[in-house]
Amino acid sequence: MFHILVTTDANYLPPLKVLMHSLFCHNRRPFIFYLLYSRIGGEEIKALGDFVRRQGHEFAPIYVDPQLFHDAPVFRHYTAEMYYRLAAHLFLPPDVDRVLYLDPDIVAINPIDELYEMDFEGNWFIAAEHTHSTKVANLFNKLRLKTPNAKGYFNTGVMMMNIAAMREHVRLADIYQFIRDNRFKLVLPDQDVLNGLYWDKIKPVDGYRYNYDARYYDFLQLLPNPKHNLAWIEENTVFIHYCGKEKPWKDNYKGELGLFYRRYSQVLELEGEATT
């Protein structure tokens, strides 16, 4: 069984269903989805659970006290729920030793087995850089977060999490203290916490395969001989990540990789499931 973790508020439930549907399309193994939430109504939770169970999978909503990170910085389109993944080991059942965390603004376009079964090699997280956006910023991030020996700056939207190791080593007190010490330096808050505190416990994987930033594809098309075309992505990429403010479920979305989101959302719409 695949153990999948998501954290969100009510605004992202429609795209979350699209993510779930895309996972069902490409994987034969059953799923159990753990949803850490604070601000979703009971009827919405029930409807999401019914949707998952109709597809033959399991759903485990877990309420989180919103006071858990009430002092942590939130701004723009970032919400307090983004921090919950850092405390997942406190809420997941004791028999869960690994989980794949996914942001709800993602779709899967290939099987996830290889990433899900990957050896942690003693690390607590497996994650990818958004290489195109971090090369220039890497030195700045290392200076800002005081991590001169870090292998990179890793995106938290797709993460294999070593829950067994996190139970042993990750402490909320350390996270709270890091936030207090750096609250005026935090740019991408939960991501900064991960990279600032656990920089030496992250195993890197290829971002073009496991966490493809949809914005990068559009940028590449402006260059001669772009590295990745749609055929390469279709064959090699596992997750398309619609980072940033522009989202493919909005009418004004212009990104070409929105076609993958529409592929799965249109099926749900035909089945009478809301995706916007």
Side-chain angles (χ1 to χ4, degrees):
M1 178 174 281
F2 291 119
H3 294 260
I4 306 296
L5 174 67
V6 291
T7 65
T8 189
D9 59 19
N11 293 324
Y12 275 82
L13 291 182
L16 174 57
K17 289 167 69 175
V18 177
L19 165 61
M20 289 173 166
H21 176 64
S22 71
L23 288 166
F24 301 153
C25 288
H26 295 287
N27 299 276
R28 295 181 179 273
R29 233 193 289 183
F31 286 87
I32 180 168
F33 290 93
Y34 302 96
L35 170 64
L36 299 184
Y37 75 98
S38 295
R39 299 178 295 162
I40 304 176
E43 287 300 313
E44 292 168 304
I45 291 291
K46 181 182 182 304
L48 185 60
D50 290 345
F51 167 75
V52 172
R53 285 185 284 271
R54 281 197 301 272
Q55 314 302 318
H57 303 277
E58 297 182 33
F59 180 63
I62 302 171
Y63 177 78
V64 177
D65 186 339
Q67 294 300 304
L68 186 67
F69 286 102
H70 73 282
D71 273 342
V74 295
F75 47 88
R76 297 198 303 273
H77 53 287
Y78 301 104
T79 65
E81 282 82 358
M82 67 185 163
Y83 294 101
Y84 293 178
R85 73 198 83 177
L86 302 173
H89 57 292
L90 301 178
F91 298 101
L92 293 174
D95 60 328
V96 175
D97 60 1
R98 68 168 53 212
V99 72
L100 173 58
Y101 172 83
L102 295 172
D103 274 351
D105 57 350
I106 284 172
V107 293
I109 65 171
N110 276 300
I112 68 171
D113 306 66
E114 187 175 339
L115 177 63
Y116 190 88
E117 301 293 350
M118 194 171 287
D119 190 341
F120 283 101
E121 299 180 354
N123 291 288
W124 306 347
F125 306 93
I126 300 173
E129 286 188 275
H130 281 164
T131 309
H132 63 284
S133 60
T134 56
K135 274 185 176 178
V136 174
N138 249 346
L139 178 59
F140 169 71
N141 285 324
K142 288 179 180 182
L143 290 171
R144 181 171 60 89
L145 299 174
K146 299 179 181 178
T147 56
N149 297 315
K151 297 173 185 175
Y153 182 79
F154 296 92
N155 183 270
T156 55
V158 178
M159 286 193 299
M160 280 303 304
M161 304 175 73
N162 185 343
I163 300 299
M166 290 177 67
R167 288 192 184 103
E168 186 175 352
H169 299 291
V170 174
R171 301 285 178 265
L172 276 187
D174 296 336
I175 295 172
Y176 291 153
Q177 189 61 53
F178 183 88
I179 291 171
R180 282 193 295 269
D181 291 346
N182 297 277
R183 65 182 301 116
F184 298 113
K185 299 179 186 176
L186 301 183
V187 177
L188 300 170
D190 70 300
Q191 206 159 275
D192 285 346
V193 173
L194 178 85
N195 285 276
L197 273 179
Y198 310 120
W199 60 270
D200 59 343
K201 297 299 180 184
I202 305 171
K203 176 178 175 176
V205 288
D206 183 356
Y208 299 128
R209 289 199 64 207
Y210 295 114
N211 193 342
Y212 198 111
D213 185 342
R215 297 170 298 184
Y216 180 56
Y217 181 83
D218 298 315
F219 169 74
L220 271 186
Q221 304 320 298
L222 303 175
L223 304 177
N225 304 313
K227 182 177 180 180
H228 304 135
N229 58 24
L230 285 176
W232 186 96
I233 291 171
E234 188 96 43
E235 182 177 353
N236 295 281
T237 295
V238 177
F239 294 113
I240 304 289
H241 193 175
Y242 300 100
C243 302
K245 294 179 181 179
E246 304 303 318
K247 302 298 185 186
W249 54 89
K250 295 182 178 180
D251 292 338
N252 61 352
Y253 186 75
K254 300 291 195 300
E256 190 167 350
L257 295 191
L259 67 91
F260 292 108
Y261 184 88
R262 292 191 295 274
R263 173 183 297 176
Y264 304 105
S265 65
Q266 286 168 357
V267 173
L268 292 181
E269 288 165 4
L270 288 173
E271 295 174 354
E273 299 283 357
T275 60
T276 56

